Amino acid sequence: MKNDFRQKLHLEPKSGWINDPNGLCYFKGEYHVYYQYSPDSPSGSGRKCWGHWKSPDLISWRSTGTVLFPDTPEDKDGVYSGCGFVKGDTLYLFYTGNVKEDGDHDYITSGRGANVILVTTKNGHDMSPKKILLRNSDYPAECSCHVRDPKVWEEDGRYHMVLGARTLQDIGCVLHYVSDDLENWTFLEKYTADDMGYMWECPDEFTIDGHRFLSISPQGLVHGKYDNQNVYSSGHYCMENGGLTDFTEWDKGFDFYAPQSFEAPDGRRILLGWEGIGDIPYTNPTVELGWQHCLTLPRELTVSDDGKILQNPVRELESLRKDAALINSGDTVEISLPFDLAAKAAGDIKVRFDNVLQFVSCGGESRLEFLDDSAGCGRDVRYAHIPELRDIRIIADKASVEVYINGGETVMSARMYPEETEITLSAEGISGTLYELNGIEVITDE
Ligand code: FRU
């Protein structure tokens, strides 16, 4: 069947552009996923709003449409990214109101307002009036106008907020504020690190099993063969002993940025990212069809014995499996998108989708490589240094692929645009199970 590039597993808009996941939370029996939404254009121009999906089980979703618009002087140029915080029967949504002033400005050191704004909701989509909590004058004097993306949590009897920022010296950092009432915030401290770019976006601080992490999306890193291969990066630091150590990228593929995490009611920490990046040198042909970008699959985060974050697709997605077939080294099988391949590996491996792309692991180096530019649209190859490849899970949707390696130690994600939804999959060096998948359900409130 000809591929219409409509995703079956990944949340995406019917029309327009989406970027970062926002406001992730579990509230009144449902998961809530808000997102940066430009309804006016698939290229992202026009109004920047928040859209909203919700689900009882991460499988059946309902879209309640656009829930926050840039309709006040304090957010007139964008309802930018932010978070959700649940207290009692109320969901508090904190976001950045972006303002661009008229005049001759560089919009870095002058001309831009970045306001932390609060709205509350009792049902997830009807919002209270907007309340301005912080303005540029409330940020440390060393900051440029780029301060944004609040993430709030409660700990030790106080509320905490982190904001991403760029200093006037072009150093990326995180600002940490504290509050006793969620409305009055006091600056506590700044986190930064050497040689980590000019701007840190979308910070997220959280603990898993006693291990503390800070996630950031830094811009301006030096690109290497195995590290920071994309225009902008995204990764997490360990925060043991007050310092930031061991920056590890969330995803070594082509399309991943601005992730956010939240805690599920059963204590799982779940992460979703934007399966896209700004200012990329490659393209997405869905633009001509009226929409662009999707979110990643929800990923459960756990910590390995040696303190590293492992990412795996949430187990709910296994309920979508049907038609299992065993797959062994040397096999070539026909399969329809979407599918899920879970396999053990021994030594060098190669998993190839037709002439579309291949995942190859050989001599300690893994690579996700497009074989055909009409499917890659400018994407070529991304590398990961993986000394020993033990297992692999590949979830392929109609227009993207996520490769989970070694129990989720490394993930590589990419948008892909094969012409047909039937794929000839050939495998070398692996043995496992290949499942065809049902899709998630997304209902849209009219
Ligand atoms: C990250 C980001 C955020 C900002 C939002 C605007 O992709 O640049 O820093 O709040 O997107 O859409």
PDB file of all heavy atoms in Angstrom, residues 271-299:
ATOM      1  N   LEU A 271       9.080   9.351  29.793  1.00  0.00           N
ATOM      2  CA  LEU A 271       9.644  10.456  29.013  1.00  0.00           C
ATOM      3  C   LEU A 271       9.039  10.464  27.612  1.00  0.00           C
ATOM      4  O   LEU A 271       8.904   9.407  26.987  1.00  0.00           O
ATOM      5  CB  LEU A 271      11.159  10.245  28.898  1.00  0.00           C
ATOM      6  CG  LEU A 271      11.948  11.285  28.115  1.00  0.00           C
ATOM      7  CD1 LEU A 271      12.648  12.242  29.098  1.00  0.00           C
ATOM      8  CD2 LEU A 271      13.019  10.641  27.245  1.00  0.00           C
ATOM      9  N   LEU A 272       8.682  11.642  27.146  1.00  0.00           N
ATOM     10  CA  LEU A 272       8.356  11.813  25.724  1.00  0.00           C
ATOM     11  C   LEU A 272       9.226  12.933  25.186  1.00  0.00           C
ATOM     12  O   LEU A 272       9.482  13.925  25.894  1.00  0.00           O
ATOM     13  CB  LEU A 272       6.897  12.209  25.514  1.00  0.00           C
ATOM     14  CG  LEU A 272       5.857  11.096  25.639  1.00  0.00           C
ATOM     15  CD1 LEU A 272       5.064  11.273  26.901  1.00  0.00           C
ATOM     16  CD2 LEU A 272       4.926  11.112  24.448  1.00  0.00           C
ATOM     17  N   GLY A 273       9.658  12.778  23.956  1.00  0.00           N
ATOM     18  CA  GLY A 273      10.420  13.849  23.320  1.00  0.00           C
ATOM     19  C   GLY A 273       9.697  14.323  22.074  1.00  0.00           C
ATOM     20  O   GLY A 273       8.703  13.723  21.638  1.00  0.00           O
ATOM     21  N   TRP A 274      10.201  15.366  21.511  1.00  0.00           N
ATOM     22  CA  TRP A 274       9.779  15.802  20.179  1.00  0.00           C
ATOM     23  C   TRP A 274      10.567  14.950  19.194  1.00  0.00           C
ATOM     24  O   TRP A 274      11.808  14.922  19.262  1.00  0.00           O
ATOM     25  CB  TRP A 274      10.110  17.292  20.029  1.00  0.00           C
ATOM     26  CG  TRP A 274       9.914  17.868  18.660  1.00  0.00           C
ATOM     27  CD1 TRP A 274       9.113  17.425  17.661  1.00  0.00           C
ATOM     28  CD2 TRP A 274      10.565  19.045  18.156  1.00  0.00           C
ATOM     29  NE1 TRP A 274       9.208  18.243  16.569  1.00  0.00           N
ATOM     30  CE2 TRP A 274      10.096  19.249  16.842  1.00  0.00           C
ATOM     31  CE3 TRP A 274      11.484  19.955  18.692  1.00  0.00           C
ATOM     32  CZ2 TRP A 274      10.525  20.302  16.052  1.00  0.00           C
ATOM     33  CZ3 TRP A 274      11.907  21.010  17.908  1.00  0.00           C
ATOM     34  CH2 TRP A 274      11.426  21.188  16.597  1.00  0.00           C
ATOM     35  N   GLU A 275       9.899  14.230  18.286  1.00  0.00           N
ATOM     36  CA  GLU A 275      10.639  13.457  17.287  1.00  0.00           C
ATOM     37  C   GLU A 275      10.949  14.394  16.113  1.00  0.00           C
ATOM     38  O   GLU A 275      10.481  14.201  14.982  1.00  0.00           O
ATOM     39  CB  GLU A 275       9.857  12.220  16.844  1.00  0.00           C
ATOM     40  CG  GLU A 275      10.785  11.165  16.269  1.00  0.00           C
ATOM     41  CD  GLU A 275      10.204   9.766  16.344  1.00  0.00           C
ATOM     42  OE1 GLU A 275      10.401   9.094  17.367  1.00  0.00           O
ATOM     43  OE2 GLU A 275       9.548   9.361  15.383  1.00  0.00           O
ATOM     44  N   GLY A 276      11.707  15.397  16.435  1.00  0.00           N
ATOM     45  CA  GLY A 276      12.087  16.415  15.467  1.00  0.00           C
ATOM     46  C   GLY A 276      13.085  17.336  16.153  1.00  0.00           C
ATOM     47  O   GLY A 276      13.338  17.210  17.358  1.00  0.00           O
ATOM     48  N   ILE A 277      13.653  18.229  15.395  1.00  0.00           N
ATOM     49  CA  ILE A 277      14.600  19.223  15.925  1.00  0.00           C
ATOM     50  C   ILE A 277      14.394  20.477  15.081  1.00  0.00           C
ATOM     51  O   ILE A 277      14.054  20.378  13.898  1.00  0.00           O
ATOM     52  CB  ILE A 277      16.073  18.758  15.779  1.00  0.00           C
ATOM     53  CG1 ILE A 277      16.273  17.347  16.344  1.00  0.00           C
ATOM     54  CG2 ILE A 277      17.026  19.732  16.461  1.00  0.00           C
ATOM     55  CD1 ILE A 277      17.713  16.854  16.277  1.00  0.00           C
ATOM     56  N   GLY A 278      14.628  21.633  15.669  1.00  0.00           N
ATOM     57  CA  GLY A 278      14.550  22.878  14.906  1.00  0.00           C
ATOM     58  C   GLY A 278      15.788  23.044  14.024  1.00  0.00           C
ATOM     59  O   GLY A 278      16.844  22.476  14.300  1.00  0.00           O
ATOM     60  N   ASP A 279      15.652  23.814  12.966  1.00  0.00           N
ATOM     61  CA  ASP A 279      16.795  24.211  12.125  1.00  0.00           C
ATOM     62  C   ASP A 279      17.581  23.038  11.547  1.00  0.00           C
ATOM     63  O   ASP A 279      18.809  23.110  11.403  1.00  0.00           O
ATOM     64  CB  ASP A 279      17.749  25.131  12.921  1.00  0.00           C
ATOM     65  CG  ASP A 279      17.022  26.336  13.499  1.00  0.00           C
ATOM     66  OD1 ASP A 279      16.112  26.849  12.813  1.00  0.00           O
ATOM     67  OD2 ASP A 279      17.340  26.751  14.626  1.00  0.00           O
ATOM     68  N   ILE A 280      16.883  21.943  11.239  1.00  0.00           N
ATOM     69  CA  ILE A 280      17.570  20.756  10.691  1.00  0.00           C
ATOM     70  C   ILE A 280      17.914  20.952   9.211  1.00  0.00           C
ATOM     71  O   ILE A 280      17.180  21.623   8.483  1.00  0.00           O
ATOM     72  CB  ILE A 280      16.703  19.479  10.815  1.00  0.00           C
ATOM     73  CG1 ILE A 280      15.231  19.784  10.492  1.00  0.00           C
ATOM     74  CG2 ILE A 280      16.878  18.832  12.154  1.00  0.00           C
ATOM     75  CD1 ILE A 280      14.345  18.581  10.381  1.00  0.00           C
ATOM     76  N   PRO A 281      18.996  20.315   8.761  1.00  0.00           N
ATOM     77  CA  PRO A 281      19.332  20.396   7.336  1.00  0.00           C
ATOM     78  C   PRO A 281      18.581  19.376   6.486  1.00  0.00           C
ATOM     79  O   PRO A 281      18.804  19.299   5.290  1.00  0.00           O
ATOM     80  CB  PRO A 281      20.842  20.109   7.325  1.00  0.00           C
ATOM     81  CG  PRO A 281      21.081  19.286   8.529  1.00  0.00           C
ATOM     82  CD  PRO A 281      20.043  19.662   9.551  1.00  0.00           C
ATOM     83  N   TYR A 282      17.718  18.531   7.099  1.00  0.00           N
ATOM     84  CA  TYR A 282      16.926  17.583   6.321  1.00  0.00           C
ATOM     85  C   TYR A 282      15.454  17.986   6.387  1.00  0.00           C
ATOM     86  O   TYR A 282      15.114  18.957   7.057  1.00  0.00           O
ATOM     87  CB  TYR A 282      17.150  16.139   6.781  1.00  0.00           C
ATOM     88  CG  TYR A 282      17.577  15.951   8.219  1.00  0.00           C
ATOM     89  CD1 TYR A 282      16.641  15.820   9.238  1.00  0.00           C
ATOM     90  CD2 TYR A 282      18.925  15.907   8.567  1.00  0.00           C
ATOM     91  CE1 TYR A 282      17.033  15.629  10.554  1.00  0.00           C
ATOM     92  CE2 TYR A 282      19.317  15.729   9.880  1.00  0.00           C
ATOM     93  CZ  TYR A 282      18.369  15.586  10.874  1.00  0.00           C
ATOM     94  OH  TYR A 282      18.759  15.416  12.179  1.00  0.00           O
ATOM     95  N   THR A 283      14.592  17.243   5.674  1.00  0.00           N
ATOM     96  CA  THR A 283      13.204  17.709   5.544  1.00  0.00           C
ATOM     97  C   THR A 283      12.208  16.607   5.910  1.00  0.00           C
ATOM     98  O   THR A 283      12.585  15.449   6.109  1.00  0.00           O
ATOM     99  CB  THR A 283      12.910  18.139   4.089  1.00  0.00           C
ATOM    100  OG1 THR A 283      13.175  17.035   3.231  1.00  0.00           O
ATOM    101  CG2 THR A 283      13.760  19.330   3.684  1.00  0.00           C
ATOM    102  N   ASN A 284      10.947  16.997   5.979  1.00  0.00           N
ATOM    103  CA  ASN A 284       9.839  16.069   6.211  1.00  0.00           C
ATOM    104  C   ASN A 284       8.778  16.320   5.139  1.00  0.00           C
ATOM    105  O   ASN A 284       8.186  17.402   5.110  1.00  0.00           O
ATOM    106  CB  ASN A 284       9.252  16.305   7.608  1.00  0.00           C
ATOM    107  CG  ASN A 284      10.273  16.004   8.687  1.00  0.00           C
ATOM    108  OD1 ASN A 284      10.774  14.891   8.786  1.00  0.00           O
ATOM    109  ND2 ASN A 284      10.616  17.006   9.484  1.00  0.00           N
ATOM    110  N   PRO A 285       8.561  15.327   4.263  1.00  0.00           N
ATOM    111  CA  PRO A 285       7.654  15.557   3.137  1.00  0.00           C
ATOM    112  C   PRO A 285       6.192  15.724   3.541  1.00  0.00           C
ATOM    113  O   PRO A 285       5.364  16.071   2.700  1.00  0.00           O
ATOM    114  CB  PRO A 285       7.842  14.308   2.263  1.00  0.00           C
ATOM    115  CG  PRO A 285       8.427  13.283   3.157  1.00  0.00           C
ATOM    116  CD  PRO A 285       9.202  14.003   4.207  1.00  0.00           C
ATOM    117  N   THR A 286       5.867  15.491   4.815  1.00  0.00           N
ATOM    118  CA  THR A 286       4.479  15.725   5.253  1.00  0.00           C
ATOM    119  C   THR A 286       4.114  17.206   5.177  1.00  0.00           C
ATOM    120  O   THR A 286       2.928  17.533   5.188  1.00  0.00           O
ATOM    121  CB  THR A 286       4.269  15.248   6.700  1.00  0.00           C
ATOM    122  OG1 THR A 286       5.193  15.932   7.546  1.00  0.00           O
ATOM    123  CG2 THR A 286       4.446  13.752   6.836  1.00  0.00           C
ATOM    124  N   VAL A 287       5.120  18.071   5.081  1.00  0.00           N
ATOM    125  CA  VAL A 287       4.816  19.509   4.986  1.00  0.00           C
ATOM    126  C   VAL A 287       3.881  19.775   3.807  1.00  0.00           C
ATOM    127  O   VAL A 287       2.908  20.519   3.927  1.00  0.00           O
ATOM    128  CB  VAL A 287       6.124  20.330   4.834  1.00  0.00           C
ATOM    129  CG1 VAL A 287       5.813  21.798   4.588  1.00  0.00           C
ATOM    130  CG2 VAL A 287       6.991  20.178   6.073  1.00  0.00           C
ATOM    131  N   GLU A 288       4.153  19.098   2.689  1.00  0.00           N
ATOM    132  CA  GLU A 288       3.300  19.303   1.503  1.00  0.00           C
ATOM    133  C   GLU A 288       1.898  18.738   1.734  1.00  0.00           C
ATOM    134  O   GLU A 288       0.963  19.091   1.027  1.00  0.00           O
ATOM    135  CB  GLU A 288       3.890  18.616   0.269  1.00  0.00           C
ATOM    136  CG  GLU A 288       5.068  19.341  -0.345  1.00  0.00           C
ATOM    137  CD  GLU A 288       6.399  18.977   0.309  1.00  0.00           C
ATOM    138  OE1 GLU A 288       6.860  17.841   0.100  1.00  0.00           O
ATOM    139  OE2 GLU A 288       6.958  19.816   1.050  1.00  0.00           O
ATOM    140  N   LEU A 289       1.771  17.839   2.698  1.00  0.00           N
ATOM    141  CA  LEU A 289       0.464  17.233   2.987  1.00  0.00           C
ATOM    142  C   LEU A 289      -0.276  17.992   4.078  1.00  0.00           C
ATOM    143  O   LEU A 289      -1.411  17.661   4.418  1.00  0.00           O
ATOM    144  CB  LEU A 289       0.659  15.774   3.412  1.00  0.00           C
ATOM    145  CG  LEU A 289       1.395  14.899   2.390  1.00  0.00           C
ATOM    146  CD1 LEU A 289       1.774  13.546   2.975  1.00  0.00           C
ATOM    147  CD2 LEU A 289       0.541  14.716   1.142  1.00  0.00           C
ATOM    148  N   GLY A 290       0.393  18.981   4.694  1.00  0.00           N
ATOM    149  CA  GLY A 290      -0.323  19.846   5.629  1.00  0.00           C
ATOM    150  C   GLY A 290       0.052  19.722   7.089  1.00  0.00           C
ATOM    151  O   GLY A 290      -0.510  20.422   7.925  1.00  0.00           O
ATOM    152  N   TRP A 291       0.967  18.819   7.427  1.00  0.00           N
ATOM    153  CA  TRP A 291       1.372  18.746   8.830  1.00  0.00           C
ATOM    154  C   TRP A 291       2.860  18.432   8.920  1.00  0.00           C
ATOM    155  O   TRP A 291       3.470  17.980   7.948  1.00  0.00           O
ATOM    156  CB  TRP A 291       0.550  17.700   9.594  1.00  0.00           C
ATOM    157  CG  TRP A 291       0.971  16.280   9.385  1.00  0.00           C
ATOM    158  CD1 TRP A 291       1.821  15.558  10.174  1.00  0.00           C
ATOM    159  CD2 TRP A 291       0.589  15.385   8.334  1.00  0.00           C
ATOM    160  NE1 TRP A 291       1.986  14.290   9.680  1.00  0.00           N
ATOM    161  CE2 TRP A 291       1.245  14.154   8.557  1.00  0.00           C
ATOM    162  CE3 TRP A 291      -0.250  15.517   7.213  1.00  0.00           C
ATOM    163  CZ2 TRP A 291       1.093  13.053   7.713  1.00  0.00           C
ATOM    164  CZ3 TRP A 291      -0.397  14.412   6.371  1.00  0.00           C
ATOM    165  CH2 TRP A 291       0.260  13.203   6.621  1.00  0.00           C
ATOM    166  N   GLN A 292       3.432  18.645  10.112  1.00  0.00           N
ATOM    167  CA  GLN A 292       4.832  18.290  10.308  1.00  0.00           C
ATOM    168  C   GLN A 292       5.102  17.939  11.771  1.00  0.00           C
ATOM    169  O   GLN A 292       4.656  18.624  12.669  1.00  0.00           O
ATOM    170  CB  GLN A 292       5.760  19.437   9.893  1.00  0.00           C
ATOM    171  CG  GLN A 292       7.233  19.009   9.907  1.00  0.00           C
ATOM    172  CD  GLN A 292       8.216  19.970   9.283  1.00  0.00           C
ATOM    173  OE1 GLN A 292       9.312  19.574   8.966  1.00  0.00           O
ATOM    174  NE2 GLN A 292       7.860  21.224   9.126  1.00  0.00           N
ATOM    175  N   HIS A 293       5.849  16.862  11.950  1.00  0.00           N
ATOM    176  CA  HIS A 293       6.397  16.382  13.229  1.00  0.00           C
ATOM    177  C   HIS A 293       5.409  15.570  14.066  1.00  0.00           C
ATOM    178  O   HIS A 293       4.197  15.640  13.882  1.00  0.00           O
ATOM    179  CB  HIS A 293       6.956  17.521  14.090  1.00  0.00           C
ATOM    180  CG  HIS A 293       8.106  18.232  13.457  1.00  0.00           C
ATOM    181  ND1 HIS A 293       9.195  17.564  12.952  1.00  0.00           N
ATOM    182  CD2 HIS A 293       8.338  19.553  13.246  1.00  0.00           C
ATOM    183  CE1 HIS A 293      10.046  18.459  12.471  1.00  0.00           C
ATOM    184  NE2 HIS A 293       9.556  19.672  12.620  1.00  0.00           N
ATOM    185  N   CYS A 294       6.016  14.799  14.959  1.00  0.00           N
ATOM    186  CA  CYS A 294       5.251  13.995  15.917  1.00  0.00           C
ATOM    187  C   CYS A 294       6.068  13.932  17.207  1.00  0.00           C
ATOM    188  O   CYS A 294       7.198  14.419  17.262  1.00  0.00           O
ATOM    189  CB  CYS A 294       5.027  12.577  15.370  1.00  0.00           C
ATOM    190  SG  CYS A 294       6.532  11.601  15.161  1.00  0.00           S
ATOM    191  N   LEU A 295       5.473  13.337  18.234  1.00  0.00           N
ATOM    192  CA  LEU A 295       6.218  13.078  19.471  1.00  0.00           C
ATOM    193  C   LEU A 295       6.808  11.676  19.403  1.00  0.00           C
ATOM    194  O   LEU A 295       6.376  10.852  18.587  1.00  0.00           O
ATOM    195  CB  LEU A 295       5.299  13.216  20.683  1.00  0.00           C
ATOM    196  CG  LEU A 295       4.615  14.574  20.842  1.00  0.00           C
ATOM    197  CD1 LEU A 295       3.805  14.610  22.141  1.00  0.00           C
ATOM    198  CD2 LEU A 295       5.631  15.724  20.827  1.00  0.00           C
ATOM    199  N   THR A 296       7.762  11.384  20.272  1.00  0.00           N
ATOM    200  CA  THR A 296       8.291  10.018  20.347  1.00  0.00           C
ATOM    201  C   THR A 296       7.268   9.127  21.036  1.00  0.00           C
ATOM    202  O   THR A 296       6.291   9.593  21.622  1.00  0.00           O
ATOM    203  CB  THR A 296       9.584   9.954  21.191  1.00  0.00           C
ATOM    204  OG1 THR A 296       9.255  10.278  22.552  1.00  0.00           O
ATOM    205  CG2 THR A 296      10.657  10.877  20.654  1.00  0.00           C
ATOM    206  N   LEU A 297       7.530   7.836  21.002  1.00  0.00           N
ATOM    207  CA  LEU A 297       6.769   6.925  21.851  1.00  0.00           C
ATOM    208  C   LEU A 297       7.034   7.297  23.300  1.00  0.00           C
ATOM    209  O   LEU A 297       8.129   7.779  23.630  1.00  0.00           O
ATOM    210  CB  LEU A 297       7.247   5.484  21.628  1.00  0.00           C
ATOM    211  CG  LEU A 297       7.071   4.939  20.212  1.00  0.00           C
ATOM    212  CD1 LEU A 297       7.734   3.569  20.115  1.00  0.00           C
ATOM    213  CD2 LEU A 297       5.599   4.861  19.847  1.00  0.00           C
ATOM    214  N   PRO A 298       6.066   7.067  24.195  1.00  0.00           N
ATOM    215  CA  PRO A 298       6.369   7.242  25.622  1.00  0.00           C
ATOM    216  C   PRO A 298       7.415   6.200  26.037  1.00  0.00           C
ATOM    217  O   PRO A 298       7.281   5.021  25.694  1.00  0.00           O
ATOM    218  CB  PRO A 298       5.029   6.970  26.325  1.00  0.00           C
ATOM    219  CG  PRO A 298       3.987   6.946  25.256  1.00  0.00           C
ATOM    220  CD  PRO A 298       4.680   6.625  23.965  1.00  0.00           C
ATOM    221  N   ARG A 299       8.441   6.651  26.733  1.00  0.00           N
ATOM    222  CA  ARG A 299       9.530   5.747  27.129  1.00  0.00           C
ATOM    223  C   ARG A 299       9.595   5.673  28.646  1.00  0.00           C
ATOM    224  O   ARG A 299       9.613   6.712  29.306  1.00  0.00           O
ATOM    225  CB  ARG A 299      10.869   6.277  26.610  1.00  0.00           C
ATOM    226  CG  ARG A 299      10.909   6.424  25.097  1.00  0.00           C
ATOM    227  CD  ARG A 299      12.193   7.075  24.645  1.00  0.00           C
ATOM    228  NE  ARG A 299      12.249   7.172  23.191  1.00  0.00           N
ATOM    229  CZ  ARG A 299      13.278   7.700  22.522  1.00  0.00           C
ATOM    230  NH1 ARG A 299      14.326   8.191  23.181  1.00  0.00           N
ATOM    231  NH2 ARG A 299      13.261   7.745  21.199  1.00  0.00           N
TER     232      ARG A 299
END
